[in-house]
mmCIF file of all heavy atoms in Angstrom:
data_model
loop_
_atom_site.group_PDB
_atom_site.id
_atom_site.type_symbol
_atom_site.label_atom_id
_atom_site.label_comp_id
_atom_site.label_asym_id
_atom_site.label_seq_id
_atom_site.Cartn_x
_atom_site.Cartn_y
_atom_site.Cartn_z
ATOM 1 N N ILE N 1 65.968 103.338 41.562
ATOM 2 C CA ILE N 1 66.975 102.431 42.014
ATOM 3 C C ILE N 1 68.205 103.118 42.627
ATOM 4 O O ILE N 1 68.865 102.613 43.480
ATOM 5 C CB ILE N 1 67.420 101.452 40.873
ATOM 6 C CG1 ILE N 1 68.189 100.282 41.440
ATOM 7 C CG2 ILE N 1 68.206 102.202 39.821
ATOM 8 C CD1 ILE N 1 68.372 99.161 40.446
ATOM 9 N N THR N 2 68.429 104.353 42.181
ATOM 10 C CA THR N 2 69.543 105.127 42.748
ATOM 11 C C THR N 2 69.077 106.161 43.730
ATOM 12 O O THR N 2 69.808 106.530 44.665
ATOM 13 C CB THR N 2 70.370 105.810 41.635
ATOM 14 O OG1 THR N 2 69.490 106.550 40.793
ATOM 15 C CG2 THR N 2 71.083 104.784 40.815
ATOM 16 N N ARG N 3 67.853 106.709 43.506
ATOM 17 C CA ARG N 3 67.380 107.783 44.371
ATOM 18 C C ARG N 3 67.256 107.324 45.803
ATOM 19 O O ARG N 3 67.710 108.013 46.728
ATOM 20 C CB ARG N 3 65.967 108.254 43.851
ATOM 21 C CG ARG N 3 65.357 109.314 44.714
ATOM 22 C CD ARG N 3 63.990 109.753 44.293
ATOM 23 N NE ARG N 3 63.095 108.594 44.305
ATOM 24 C CZ ARG N 3 62.433 108.201 43.239
ATOM 25 N NH1 ARG N 3 62.533 108.774 42.112
ATOM 26 N NH2 ARG N 3 61.635 107.131 43.316
ATOM 27 N N GLY N 4 66.685 106.160 46.052
ATOM 28 C CA GLY N 4 66.491 105.719 47.440
ATOM 29 C C GLY N 4 67.768 105.598 48.228
ATOM 30 O O GLY N 4 67.931 106.218 49.258
ATOM 31 N N PRO N 5 68.724 104.781 47.746
ATOM 32 C CA PRO N 5 69.961 104.637 48.504
ATOM 33 C C PRO N 5 70.797 105.884 48.629
ATOM 34 O O PRO N 5 71.426 106.097 49.679
ATOM 35 C CB PRO N 5 70.744 103.542 47.733
ATOM 36 C CG PRO N 5 69.764 102.894 46.814
ATOM 37 C CD PRO N 5 68.679 103.897 46.597
ATOM 38 N N LEU N 6 70.774 106.723 47.600
ATOM 39 C CA LEU N 6 71.635 107.880 47.671
ATOM 40 C C LEU N 6 71.008 109.110 48.390
ATOM 41 O O LEU N 6 71.765 109.953 48.935
ATOM 42 C CB LEU N 6 72.015 108.342 46.256
ATOM 43 C CG LEU N 6 72.972 107.370 45.532
ATOM 44 C CD1 LEU N 6 73.205 107.857 44.107
ATOM 45 C CD2 LEU N 6 74.308 107.258 46.266
ATOM 46 N N THR N 7 69.693 109.152 48.391
ATOM 47 C CA THR N 7 69.059 110.353 48.994
ATOM 48 C C THR N 7 68.269 110.059 50.210
ATOM 49 O O THR N 7 67.929 110.963 50.975
ATOM 50 C CB THR N 7 68.125 111.014 47.914
ATOM 51 O OG1 THR N 7 67.027 110.141 47.680
ATOM 52 C CG2 THR N 7 68.837 111.368 46.649
ATOM 53 N N GLY N 8 67.827 108.795 50.400
ATOM 54 C CA GLY N 8 66.926 108.463 51.485
ATOM 55 C C GLY N 8 65.490 108.731 51.172
ATOM 56 O O GLY N 8 64.598 108.525 51.946
ATOM 57 N N ILE N 9 65.220 109.207 49.919
ATOM 58 C CA ILE N 9 63.847 109.395 49.420
ATOM 59 C C ILE N 9 63.477 108.163 48.664
ATOM 60 O O ILE N 9 63.860 107.993 47.503
ATOM 61 C CB ILE N 9 63.773 110.678 48.506
ATOM 62 C CG1 ILE N 9 64.403 111.891 49.126
ATOM 63 C CG2 ILE N 9 62.326 110.907 48.087
ATOM 64 C CD1 ILE N 9 63.651 112.517 50.256
ATOM 65 N N TRP N 10 62.703 107.296 49.270
ATOM 66 C CA TRP N 10 62.427 105.972 48.683
ATOM 67 C C TRP N 10 61.170 106.029 47.758
ATOM 68 O O TRP N 10 61.032 105.259 46.867
ATOM 69 C CB TRP N 10 62.275 104.895 49.742
ATOM 70 C CG TRP N 10 63.577 104.678 50.435
ATOM 71 C CD1 TRP N 10 64.027 105.295 51.557
ATOM 72 C CD2 TRP N 10 64.667 103.833 49.954
ATOM 73 N NE1 TRP N 10 65.287 104.851 51.869
ATOM 74 C CE2 TRP N 10 65.713 103.972 50.912
ATOM 75 C CE3 TRP N 10 64.804 102.990 48.879
ATOM 76 C CZ2 TRP N 10 66.885 103.269 50.736
ATOM 77 C CZ3 TRP N 10 65.992 102.291 48.773
ATOM 78 C CH2 TRP N 10 67.030 102.452 49.698
ATOM 79 N N GLY N 11 60.300 106.964 48.051
ATOM 80 C CA GLY N 11 59.113 107.159 47.210
ATOM 81 C C GLY N 11 59.410 108.160 46.089
ATOM 82 O O GLY N 11 60.563 108.561 45.896
ATOM 83 N N SER N 12 58.380 108.628 45.450
ATOM 84 C CA SER N 12 58.556 109.625 44.396
ATOM 85 C C SER N 12 58.817 110.982 45.027
ATOM 86 O O SER N 12 58.513 111.246 46.191
ATOM 87 C CB SER N 12 57.307 109.689 43.508
ATOM 88 O OG SER N 12 56.229 110.264 44.259
ATOM 89 N N TRP N 13 59.456 111.863 44.222
ATOM 90 C CA TRP N 13 59.739 113.194 44.731
ATOM 91 C C TRP N 13 58.459 113.951 45.037
ATOM 92 O O TRP N 13 58.462 114.816 45.906
ATOM 93 C CB TRP N 13 60.560 113.950 43.696
ATOM 94 C CG TRP N 13 61.988 113.509 43.664
ATOM 95 C CD1 TRP N 13 62.609 112.733 42.653
ATOM 96 C CD2 TRP N 13 63.000 113.766 44.622
ATOM 97 N NE1 TRP N 13 63.885 112.510 43.021
ATOM 98 C CE2 TRP N 13 64.221 113.138 44.189
ATOM 99 C CE3 TRP N 13 63.008 114.452 45.842
ATOM 100 C CZ2 TRP N 13 65.350 113.176 44.947
ATOM 101 C CZ3 TRP N 13 64.209 114.522 46.541
ATOM 102 C CH2 TRP N 13 65.357 113.904 46.098
ATOM 103 N N ASP N 14 57.353 113.663 44.319
ATOM 104 C CA ASP N 14 56.105 114.330 44.569
ATOM 105 C C ASP N 14 55.630 114.123 45.990
ATOM 106 O O ASP N 14 54.918 114.948 46.549
ATOM 107 C CB ASP N 14 55.028 113.847 43.592
ATOM 108 C CG ASP N 14 55.367 114.140 42.142
ATOM 109 O OD1 ASP N 14 56.111 115.070 41.904
ATOM 110 O OD2 ASP N 14 54.859 113.425 41.244
ATOM 111 N N LYS N 15 55.958 112.984 46.558
ATOM 112 C CA LYS N 15 55.491 112.618 47.890
ATOM 113 C C LYS N 15 56.489 112.942 49.003
ATOM 114 O O LYS N 15 56.209 112.716 50.177
ATOM 115 C CB LYS N 15 55.086 111.152 47.919
ATOM 116 C CG LYS N 15 53.964 110.859 47.050
ATOM 117 C CD LYS N 15 53.597 109.388 47.028
ATOM 118 C CE LYS N 15 52.455 109.143 46.061
ATOM 119 N NZ LYS N 15 52.369 107.806 45.581
ATOM 120 N N ALA N 16 57.657 113.414 48.645
ATOM 121 C CA ALA N 16 58.713 113.723 49.604
ATOM 122 C C ALA N 16 58.352 115.006 50.381
ATOM 123 O O ALA N 16 57.925 116.009 49.796
ATOM 124 C CB ALA N 16 60.066 113.946 48.921
ATOM 125 N N GLY N 17 58.498 114.939 51.678
ATOM 126 C CA GLY N 17 58.208 116.087 52.537
ATOM 127 C C GLY N 17 59.375 117.054 52.576
ATOM 128 O O GLY N 17 60.509 116.686 52.229
ATOM 129 N N THR N 18 59.103 118.239 53.038
ATOM 130 C CA THR N 18 60.158 119.267 53.175
ATOM 131 C C THR N 18 61.295 118.796 54.025
ATOM 132 O O THR N 18 62.472 118.955 53.696
ATOM 133 C CB THR N 18 59.561 120.554 53.743
ATOM 134 O OG1 THR N 18 58.519 120.997 52.863
ATOM 135 C CG2 THR N 18 60.593 121.669 53.855
ATOM 136 N N GLN N 19 60.988 118.143 55.125
ATOM 137 C CA GLN N 19 62.001 117.628 56.036
ATOM 138 C C GLN N 19 62.839 116.554 55.368
ATOM 139 O O GLN N 19 64.055 116.439 55.558
ATOM 140 C CB GLN N 19 61.426 117.152 57.365
ATOM 141 C CG GLN N 19 62.431 116.760 58.385
ATOM 142 C CD GLN N 19 63.363 117.931 58.767
ATOM 143 O OE1 GLN N 19 62.994 119.063 58.768
ATOM 144 N NE2 GLN N 19 64.612 117.574 59.072
ATOM 145 N N ASP N 20 62.205 115.671 54.590
ATOM 146 C CA ASP N 20 62.930 114.644 53.859
ATOM 147 C C ASP N 20 63.972 115.226 52.942
ATOM 148 O O ASP N 20 65.096 114.771 52.804
ATOM 149 C CB ASP N 20 61.943 113.798 53.066
ATOM 150 C CG ASP N 20 60.956 113.036 53.876
ATOM 151 O OD1 ASP N 20 61.315 112.638 55.000
ATOM 152 O OD2 ASP N 20 59.826 112.852 53.412
ATOM 153 N N ILE N 21 63.572 116.320 52.239
ATOM 154 C CA ILE N 21 64.478 116.972 51.300
ATOM 155 C C ILE N 21 65.618 117.657 52.053
ATOM 156 O O ILE N 21 66.740 117.617 51.613
ATOM 157 C CB ILE N 21 63.699 117.901 50.344
ATOM 158 C CG1 ILE N 21 62.745 117.053 49.489
ATOM 159 C CG2 ILE N 21 64.644 118.716 49.480
ATOM 160 C CD1 ILE N 21 61.734 117.845 48.711
ATOM 161 N N ARG N 22 65.295 118.273 53.176
ATOM 162 C CA ARG N 22 66.328 118.933 53.988
ATOM 163 C C ARG N 22 67.368 117.868 54.412
ATOM 164 O O ARG N 22 68.578 118.100 54.422
ATOM 165 C CB ARG N 22 65.739 119.596 55.228
ATOM 166 C CG ARG N 22 65.159 120.915 54.955
ATOM 167 C CD ARG N 22 64.880 121.635 56.292
ATOM 168 N NE ARG N 22 63.795 122.585 56.091
ATOM 169 C CZ ARG N 22 62.558 122.418 56.562
ATOM 170 N NH1 ARG N 22 62.235 121.373 57.317
ATOM 171 N NH2 ARG N 22 61.695 123.327 56.322
ATOM 172 N N GLU N 23 66.877 116.709 54.841
ATOM 173 C CA GLU N 23 67.743 115.612 55.296
ATOM 174 C C GLU N 23 68.612 115.108 54.141
ATOM 175 O O GLU N 23 69.814 114.829 54.338
ATOM 176 C CB GLU N 23 66.946 114.509 55.925
ATOM 177 C CG GLU N 23 66.372 114.870 57.293
ATOM 178 C CD GLU N 23 65.381 113.877 57.834
ATOM 179 O OE1 GLU N 23 65.196 112.762 57.238
ATOM 180 O OE2 GLU N 23 64.770 114.164 58.873
ATOM 181 N N PHE N 24 68.032 114.999 52.979
ATOM 182 C CA PHE N 24 68.766 114.550 51.774
ATOM 183 C C PHE N 24 69.898 115.558 51.509
ATOM 184 O O PHE N 24 71.064 115.159 51.308
ATOM 185 C CB PHE N 24 67.871 114.391 50.555
ATOM 186 C CG PHE N 24 68.420 114.826 49.251
ATOM 187 C CD1 PHE N 24 69.504 114.157 48.711
ATOM 188 C CD2 PHE N 24 67.894 115.872 48.550
ATOM 189 C CE1 PHE N 24 70.077 114.516 47.470
ATOM 190 C CE2 PHE N 24 68.446 116.283 47.325
ATOM 191 C CZ PHE N 24 69.474 115.604 46.810
ATOM 192 N N LEU N 25 69.583 116.868 51.552
ATOM 193 C CA LEU N 25 70.583 117.872 51.262
ATOM 194 C C LEU N 25 71.708 117.883 52.289
ATOM 195 O O LEU N 25 72.864 117.975 51.966
ATOM 196 C CB LEU N 25 69.950 119.255 51.165
ATOM 197 C CG LEU N 25 69.079 119.483 49.946
ATOM 198 C CD1 LEU N 25 68.266 120.762 50.094
ATOM 199 C CD2 LEU N 25 69.861 119.505 48.671
ATOM 200 N N SER N 26 71.318 117.704 53.542
ATOM 201 C CA SER N 26 72.313 117.679 54.620
ATOM 202 C C SER N 26 73.185 116.407 54.495
ATOM 203 O O SER N 26 74.388 116.475 54.710
ATOM 204 C CB SER N 26 71.579 117.685 55.974
ATOM 205 O OG SER N 26 72.512 117.563 56.989
ATOM 206 N N ARG N 27 72.547 115.303 54.128
ATOM 207 C CA ARG N 27 73.271 114.029 53.962
ATOM 208 C C ARG N 27 74.351 114.201 52.861
ATOM 209 O O ARG N 27 75.475 113.744 53.048
ATOM 210 C CB ARG N 27 72.258 112.933 53.586
ATOM 211 C CG ARG N 27 72.868 111.581 53.355
ATOM 212 C CD ARG N 27 71.751 110.635 53.002
ATOM 213 N NE ARG N 27 72.249 109.313 52.729
ATOM 214 C CZ ARG N 27 71.441 108.292 52.407
ATOM 215 N NH1 ARG N 27 70.166 108.443 52.373
ATOM 216 N NH2 ARG N 27 71.987 107.107 52.136
ATOM 217 N N TRP N 28 74.013 114.857 51.793
ATOM 218 C CA TRP N 28 75.015 115.012 50.712
ATOM 219 C C TRP N 28 76.034 116.057 51.069
ATOM 220 O O TRP N 28 77.178 115.880 50.766
ATOM 221 C CB TRP N 28 74.267 115.430 49.412
ATOM 222 C CG TRP N 28 73.700 114.208 48.659
ATOM 223 C CD1 TRP N 28 73.257 113.059 49.197
ATOM 224 C CD2 TRP N 28 73.557 114.116 47.253
ATOM 225 N NE1 TRP N 28 72.839 112.242 48.166
ATOM 226 C CE2 TRP N 28 73.013 112.862 46.976
ATOM 227 C CE3 TRP N 28 73.817 114.977 46.209
ATOM 228 C CZ2 TRP N 28 72.714 112.421 45.701
ATOM 229 C CZ3 TRP N 28 73.534 114.557 44.912
ATOM 230 C CH2 TRP N 28 72.999 113.246 44.661
ATOM 231 N N GLU N 29 75.604 117.127 51.712
ATOM 232 C CA GLU N 29 76.534 118.162 52.088
ATOM 233 C C GLU N 29 77.624 117.671 53.041
ATOM 234 O O GLU N 29 78.771 118.058 52.895
ATOM 235 C CB GLU N 29 75.789 119.329 52.705
ATOM 236 C CG GLU N 29 76.685 120.467 53.147
ATOM 237 C CD GLU N 29 75.893 121.603 53.812
ATOM 238 O OE1 GLU N 29 74.748 121.401 54.228
ATOM 239 O OE2 GLU N 29 76.495 122.684 53.937
ATOM 240 N N HIS N 30 77.262 116.813 53.942
ATOM 241 C CA HIS N 30 78.192 116.323 54.981
ATOM 242 C C HIS N 30 78.712 114.905 54.682
ATOM 243 O O HIS N 30 79.298 114.307 55.598
ATOM 244 C CB HIS N 30 77.524 116.393 56.339
ATOM 245 C CG HIS N 30 77.060 117.769 56.700
ATOM 246 N ND1 HIS N 30 77.936 118.805 56.945
ATOM 247 C CD2 HIS N 30 75.814 118.292 56.789
ATOM 248 C CE1 HIS N 30 77.260 119.894 57.203
ATOM 249 N NE2 HIS N 30 75.949 119.630 57.114
ATOM 250 N N SER N 31 78.498 114.419 53.490
ATOM 251 C CA SER N 31 78.900 113.063 53.144
ATOM 252 C C SER N 31 80.420 112.942 53.107
ATOM 253 O O SER N 31 81.131 113.896 52.831
ATOM 254 C CB SER N 31 78.336 112.710 51.755
ATOM 255 O OG SER N 31 78.804 111.426 51.393
ATOM 256 N N SER N 32 80.911 111.726 53.376
ATOM 257 C CA SER N 32 82.330 111.457 53.251
ATOM 258 C C SER N 32 82.678 111.080 51.794
ATOM 259 O O SER N 32 83.841 110.962 51.462
ATOM 260 C CB SER N 32 82.739 110.298 54.212
ATOM 261 O OG SER N 32 82.006 109.153 53.873
ATOM 262 N N ILE N 33 81.671 110.971 50.972
ATOM 263 C CA ILE N 33 81.858 110.634 49.576
ATOM 264 C C ILE N 33 81.926 111.936 48.765
ATOM 265 O O ILE N 33 80.919 112.717 48.722
ATOM 266 C CB ILE N 33 80.729 109.739 49.081
ATOM 267 C CG1 ILE N 33 80.686 108.446 49.860
ATOM 268 C CG2 ILE N 33 80.905 109.454 47.567
ATOM 269 C CD1 ILE N 33 79.495 107.579 49.607
ATOM 270 N N GLY N 34 83.051 112.197 48.150
ATOM 271 C CA GLY N 34 83.255 113.426 47.419
ATOM 272 C C GLY N 34 82.232 113.643 46.314
ATOM 273 O O GLY N 34 81.871 114.812 46.092
ATOM 274 N N LEU N 35 81.793 112.648 45.592
ATOM 275 C CA LEU N 35 80.808 112.799 44.525
ATOM 276 C C LEU N 35 79.488 113.347 45.053
ATOM 277 O O LEU N 35 78.853 114.163 44.401
ATOM 278 C CB LEU N 35 80.547 111.462 43.809
ATOM 279 C CG LEU N 35 81.652 110.996 42.820
ATOM 280 C CD1 LEU N 35 81.314 109.632 42.308
ATOM 281 C CD2 LEU N 35 81.706 112.019 41.681
ATOM 282 N N LEU N 36 79.095 112.931 46.239
ATOM 283 C CA LEU N 36 77.846 113.460 46.794
ATOM 284 C C LEU N 36 77.996 114.882 47.243
ATOM 285 O O LEU N 36 77.082 115.744 47.052
ATOM 286 C CB LEU N 36 77.402 112.602 47.942
ATOM 287 C CG LEU N 36 77.056 111.116 47.664
ATOM 288 C CD1 LEU N 36 76.558 110.399 48.890
ATOM 289 C CD2 LEU N 36 76.097 111.025 46.493
ATOM 290 N N LYS N 37 79.173 115.221 47.811
ATOM 291 C CA LYS N 37 79.440 116.625 48.166
ATOM 292 C C LYS N 37 79.402 117.527 46.908
ATOM 293 O O LYS N 37 78.889 118.629 46.934
ATOM 294 C CB LYS N 37 80.760 116.756 48.855
ATOM 295 C CG LYS N 37 80.778 116.351 50.298
ATOM 296 C CD LYS N 37 82.124 116.586 50.923
ATOM 297 C CE LYS N 37 82.062 116.254 52.404
ATOM 298 N NZ LYS N 37 83.343 116.531 53.061
ATOM 299 N N MET N 38 80.043 117.021 45.809
ATOM 300 C CA MET N 38 80.005 117.813 44.579
ATOM 301 C C MET N 38 78.630 117.945 44.028
ATOM 302 O O MET N 38 78.226 118.971 43.488
ATOM 303 C CB MET N 38 80.960 117.170 43.549
ATOM 304 C CG MET N 38 82.431 117.313 43.877
ATOM 305 S SD MET N 38 83.629 116.771 42.635
ATOM 306 C CE MET N 38 82.851 115.421 41.790
ATOM 307 N N GLY N 39 77.827 116.865 44.134
ATOM 308 C CA GLY N 39 76.436 116.900 43.707
ATOM 309 C C GLY N 39 75.649 117.958 44.485
ATOM 310 O O GLY N 39 74.884 118.730 43.904
ATOM 311 N N HIS N 40 75.857 118.012 45.797
ATOM 312 C CA HIS N 40 75.185 119.001 46.641
ATOM 313 C C HIS N 40 75.593 120.416 46.214
ATOM 314 O O HIS N 40 74.746 121.289 46.042
ATOM 315 C CB HIS N 40 75.518 118.757 48.085
ATOM 316 C CG HIS N 40 74.965 119.826 48.987
ATOM 317 N ND1 HIS N 40 75.668 120.971 49.307
ATOM 318 C CD2 HIS N 40 73.741 119.977 49.597
ATOM 319 C CE1 HIS N 40 74.919 121.762 50.063
ATOM 320 N NE2 HIS N 40 73.769 121.157 50.260
ATOM 321 N N ALA N 41 76.892 120.628 46.036
ATOM 322 C CA ALA N 41 77.388 121.942 45.670
ATOM 323 C C ALA N 41 76.821 122.359 44.275
ATOM 324 O O ALA N 41 76.467 123.521 44.104
ATOM 325 C CB ALA N 41 78.896 121.964 45.623
ATOM 326 N N SER N 42 76.744 121.387 43.387
ATOM 327 C CA SER N 42 76.204 121.699 42.052
ATOM 328 C C SER N 42 74.762 122.084 42.114
ATOM 329 O O SER N 42 74.316 123.084 41.494
ATOM 330 C CB SER N 42 76.390 120.503 41.115
ATOM 331 O OG SER N 42 77.731 120.210 40.926
ATOM 332 N N LEU N 43 73.957 121.298 42.845
ATOM 333 C CA LEU N 43 72.516 121.632 42.973
ATOM 334 C C LEU N 43 72.352 122.990 43.647
ATOM 335 O O LEU N 43 71.526 123.820 43.186
ATOM 336 C CB LEU N 43 71.840 120.567 43.809
ATOM 337 C CG LEU N 43 71.693 119.200 43.159
ATOM 338 C CD1 LEU N 43 71.189 118.203 44.191
ATOM 339 C CD2 LEU N 43 70.808 119.264 41.959
ATOM 340 N N LEU N 44 73.119 123.298 44.685
ATOM 341 C CA LEU N 44 73.001 124.560 45.386
ATOM 342 C C LEU N 44 73.332 125.704 44.449
ATOM 343 O O LEU N 44 72.628 126.679 44.359
ATOM 344 C CB LEU N 44 73.911 124.528 46.585
ATOM 345 C CG LEU N 44 73.818 125.727 47.551
ATOM 346 C CD1 LEU N 44 72.480 125.790 48.213
ATOM 347 C CD2 LEU N 44 74.944 125.658 48.572
ATOM 348 N N GLN N 45 74.453 125.586 43.727
ATOM 349 C CA GLN N 45 74.848 126.647 42.831
ATOM 350 C C GLN N 45 73.819 126.872 41.729
ATOM 351 O O GLN N 45 73.513 128.004 41.401
ATOM 352 C CB GLN N 45 76.184 126.320 42.197
ATOM 353 C CG GLN N 45 77.351 126.703 43.055
ATOM 354 C CD GLN N 45 78.673 126.514 42.313
ATOM 355 O OE1 GLN N 45 78.836 125.566 41.525
ATOM 356 N NE2 GLN N 45 79.608 127.376 42.536
ATOM 357 N N LEU N 46 73.383 125.790 41.104
ATOM 358 C CA LEU N 46 72.455 125.901 39.974
ATOM 359 C C LEU N 46 71.153 126.636 40.417
ATOM 360 O O LEU N 46 70.683 127.533 39.790
ATOM 361 C CB LEU N 46 72.086 124.534 39.432
ATOM 362 C CG LEU N 46 73.140 123.838 38.645
ATOM 363 C CD1 LEU N 46 72.765 122.374 38.390
ATOM 364 C CD2 LEU N 46 73.348 124.543 37.306
ATOM 365 N N VAL N 47 70.612 126.196 41.542
ATOM 366 C CA VAL N 47 69.327 126.783 41.994
ATOM 367 C C VAL N 47 69.520 128.208 42.481
ATOM 368 O O VAL N 47 68.741 129.129 42.126
ATOM 369 C CB VAL N 47 68.678 125.899 43.114
ATOM 370 C CG1 VAL N 47 67.480 126.586 43.716
ATOM 371 C CG2 VAL N 47 68.244 124.556 42.543
ATOM 372 N N MET N 48 70.586 128.473 43.261
ATOM 373 C CA MET N 48 70.793 129.803 43.768
ATOM 374 C C MET N 48 71.126 130.836 42.651
ATOM 375 O O MET N 48 70.620 131.941 42.699
ATOM 376 C CB MET N 48 71.884 129.837 44.854
ATOM 377 C CG MET N 48 71.470 129.130 46.130
ATOM 378 S SD MET N 48 70.067 129.881 46.900
ATOM 379 C CE MET N 48 69.021 128.503 47.127
#
C-alpha cells in the first residue's frame, strides 16, 4: 500500500527490474519531499 505510491514499484520487489529500482532511487534522491531524500540517503549510507 505504501511501496507503490512512494517508489513506483507496484509489484513485488522480486519482480522489480534493475531499471525500476534505479528510477525509484533517483525519484527519492531528487524528491522535493525531505523524508524521501532522507530515506534515500539512509539506504545509500547503510548499503555502502
Side-chain angles (χ1 to χ4, degrees):
I1 195 166
T2 54
R3 179 184 57 239
L6 290 176
T7 66
I9 309 287
W10 294 93
S12 69
W13 285 106
D14 297 335
K15 296 178 182 159
T18 301
Q19 187 58 33
D20 297 328
I21 296 170
R22 279 193 207 108
E23 289 170 7
F24 144 64
L25 290 170
S26 178
R27 180 179 178 180
W28 277 31
E29 180 182 14
H30 302 291
S31 176
S32 60
I33 301 171
L35 281 173
L36 298 183
K37 283 184 176 182
M38 288 187 328
H40 175 269
S42 296
L43 292 172
L44 186 66
Q45 277 187 323
L46 286 168
V47 172
M48 291 299 128

